[in-house]
Amino acid sequence: MAQPRRSSARSGTFLLELIIVILFFSVASAICVSLFVQARLESRQSQALSAADLQCRSAAECVRSVGSDPGALTQLLGGGAWQDGFAVSYNADFKPVDNAAPAARYRMTIRFSQQSGSGLLNAKIDYLSLDQPDTPVYTLDTTFYRP
């Protein structure tokens, strides 16, 4: 009868070890999943910042060449007049879409101000995520001489 007791004691120890190993791997996998999700979020934010930088610089060059003419800006950038300036909306892949489109995820707004008598045109370019419209992803202030 001693033989069966040894066998059940061994199987009980094995079961306990198995539960501990499963618990360890469960915790390790939960940590890894959390890190992967965080890395994906960081990657998406970095991608948005890079796209915002490129599109705002492009818009600044367009403003430099045509000024605050909404027709010319629409032809160069897409978008159109928006509130007190000009706006272009972008989808999740950073492609231009209609300002009222439900697929719009980002919006670049351009607001103009002219310094009286100096010929200087100020353009404030904001790139916003429509999920968080109060916090710009990127902002570019630029001034050009327009005689």
Side-chain angles (χ1 to χ4, degrees):
M1 288 213 185
Q3 290 290 343
R5 284 184 183 244
R6 235 190 262 176
S7 175
S8 74
R10 251 191 200 160
S11 65
T13 305
F14 174 74
L15 185 59
L16 184 61
E17 290 173 354
L18 185 62
I19 290 173
I20 290 172
V21 167
I22 290 172
L23 180 66
F24 172 76
F25 281 111
S26 297
V27 170
S29 66
I31 291 171
C32 286
V33 167
S34 172
L35 290 175
F36 285 135
V37 168
Q38 186 177 6
R40 174 68 178 138
L41 179 62
E42 292 285 332
S43 171
R44 188 68 179 156
Q45 289 172 344
S46 175
Q47 189 179 21
L49 182 60
S50 178
D53 177 47
L54 179 67
Q55 290 163 347
C56 287
R57 288 175 187 262
S58 176
E61 289 300 320
C62 290
V63 169
R64 172 183 258 169
S65 66
V66 299
S68 60
D69 177 20
L73 285 173
T74 300
Q75 196 172 34
L76 291 172
L77 297 172
W82 183 264
Q83 295 174 350
D84 59 342
F86 185 84
V88 183
S89 294
Y90 299 93
N91 65 12
D93 295 325
F94 309 104
K95 306 280 187 220
V97 295
D98 184 50
N99 282 335
R105 295 288 176 259
Y106 300 96
R107 180 168 293 129
M108 178 176 60
T109 60
I110 307 172
R111 290 184 174 80
F112 300 102
S113 62
Q114 185 99 27
Q115 292 181 1
S116 59
S118 67
L120 296 176
L121 175 66
N122 297 325
K124 179 176 170 59
I125 305 171
D126 288 324
Y127 197 91
L128 308 167
S129 169
L130 297 181
D131 296 333
Q132 300 173 340
D134 297 333
T135 308
V137 174
Y138 189 82
T139 300
L140 179 65
D141 293 317
T142 185
T143 304
F144 300 105
Y145 178 71
R146 302 289 298 173

